[in-house]
Amino acid sequence: MDVNKNSYTFGFAIIMVVLVASVLSIAAISLKPFQDTNIELEKKQNILNSVGIKVEREAAEEAYSKYIINSFVVNSEGKKINRDAFNIDLSKELKKDVESQAFPIFVSKKNDDKSYIIPVRGTGLWGPIWGFVALKDDLNTVLGAVFDHKAETPGLGAEINLSWFQEPFKGKTIFDGDKFVSITVVKGGASDDDMHGVDGISGGTITADGVTAMLEERLEKYVPFFEIMRKKLEVESVLDSLDTENSSIDTLNIIQ
């Protein structure tokens, strides 16, 4: 074969392209299970981190099984539906009409304190942003929050995944009385007595505004569920009170 001919060059190039493509395809297929596992463990890490439990990726599975006691999905009316909460893809859900969307919830219990973890997703300056917001059992006070991004500017909007930005969310409330108000990332800084605002990011206003919009849009969709749960808790409180009163009466009768 004449290696100086164009046909040889083209043939050799085609063979190499096919060979390399085959090798890459095989590698991608064989590595996908490991990639999926890493994505799953990272998600569990972030869910745990939202309630203050920080673990290495290798320990995420065990810690998740220990502290996440329940997970379920509700619809736009706050009623439970038969879906797997962990495998809900918010990027796909957000493209649907609200009535067709599924809203996952994760329930954590740590030191007898129950909390409800809400996944959130929105848009930053250069791409998607996402995270998890954990609410105490009053379904109002933030226990913790974690955020991440795909392509925000390093040193600016990318800092939403740093602790200095996330820590101030703790203790903030998403309701003002019975009115849903969410939490706002305030440009120039929130006042100390602002229960619904946190400090913004210098130079990262668009990403910060994206976090504000993301929290308002996602958390508002859970308001029907919050209202159902509050009514349930009120009923349980009344029943507990009645049980206590009856127990006191029985005790007095026994004493007499």
Side-chain angles (χ1 to χ4, degrees):
M1 180 179 291
D2 188 351
V3 297
N4 295 314
K5 288 184 176 181
N6 289 336
S7 58
Y8 174 84
T9 303
F10 288 128
F12 179 79
I14 291 171
I15 292 172
M16 289 303 297
V17 167
V18 172
L19 180 62
V20 171
S22 299
V23 171
L24 291 176
S25 178
I26 293 170
I29 292 172
S30 61
L31 291 175
K32 191 176 186 306
F34 298 101
Q35 293 171 338
D36 291 343
T37 299
N38 284 334
I39 291 171
E40 178 181 331
L41 291 176
E42 182 179 6
K43 182 175 181 178
K44 290 181 176 179
Q45 273 185 298
N46 288 331
I47 291 173
L48 292 167
N49 196 12
S50 70
V51 292
I53 301 170
K54 297 184 179 181
V55 295
E56 296 297 326
R57 182 174 297 180
E58 295 74 17
E61 184 68 45
E62 182 179 355
Y64 185 89
S65 299
K66 178 180 179 180
Y67 292 105
I68 305 302
I69 62 171
N70 193 13
S71 63
F72 52 89
V73 180
V74 298
N75 59 18
S76 60
E77 297 178 351
K79 299 177 181 179
K80 291 185 180 181
I81 58 176
N82 187 24
R83 291 281 300 274
D84 177 12
F86 191 85
N87 291 314
I88 295 278
D89 186 343
L90 286 189
S91 65
K92 294 180 180 179
E93 295 299 315
L94 284 165
K95 296 175 182 178
K96 302 177 183 178
D97 294 334
V98 174
E99 293 76 14
S100 302
Q101 289 185 31
F103 303 94
I105 300 170
F106 302 89
V107 184
S108 173
K109 193 172 186 180
K110 177 185 176 185
N111 299 327
D112 293 328
D113 294 324
K114 186 181 289 187
S115 55
Y116 295 82
I117 304 164
I118 310 297
V120 294
R121 187 178 179 90
T123 305
L125 174 60
W126 301 112
I129 55 177
W130 59 87
F132 295 91
V133 177
L135 301 176
K136 295 183 179 180
D137 59 4
D138 63 359
L139 297 171
N140 181 27
T141 308
V142 176
L143 176 65
V146 295
F147 304 108
D148 211 341
H149 64 92
K150 182 178 181 180
E152 298 308 290
T153 308
L156 299 175
E159 298 202 0
I160 63 170
N161 64 7
L162 299 182
S163 60
W164 76 261
F165 177 75
Q166 299 170 8
E167 284 292 324
F169 282 85
K170 295 181 179 179
K172 299 298 180 179
T173 55
I174 63 173
F175 284 89
D176 185 3
D178 293 330
K179 181 182 178 182
F180 174 76
V181 295
S182 189
I183 298 173
T184 302
V185 182
V186 183
K187 181 179 180 180
S191 59
D192 293 337
D193 60 350
D194 186 353
M195 292 302 296
H196 317 294
V198 297
D199 292 349
I201 303 171
S202 179
T205 302
I206 295 178
T207 305
D209 289 346
V211 172
T212 295
M214 172 177 69
L215 292 175
E216 182 176 6
E217 190 277 332
R218 283 290 86 189
L219 293 178
E220 185 179 25
K221 301 298 188 297
Y222 287 85
V223 170
F225 168 74
F226 296 155
E227 291 175 346
I228 290 173
M229 286 298 297
R230 284 203 184 94
K231 290 177 182 177
K232 179 181 177 182
L233 292 173
E234 288 174 2
V235 171
E236 290 177 351
S237 178
V238 170
L239 292 176
D240 288 342
S241 177
L242 290 174
D243 288 342
T244 301
E245 290 177 5
N246 291 334
S247 177
S248 299
I249 293 172
D250 291 341
T251 302
L252 285 172
N253 289 335
I254 291 171
I255 293 173
Q256 291 172 351

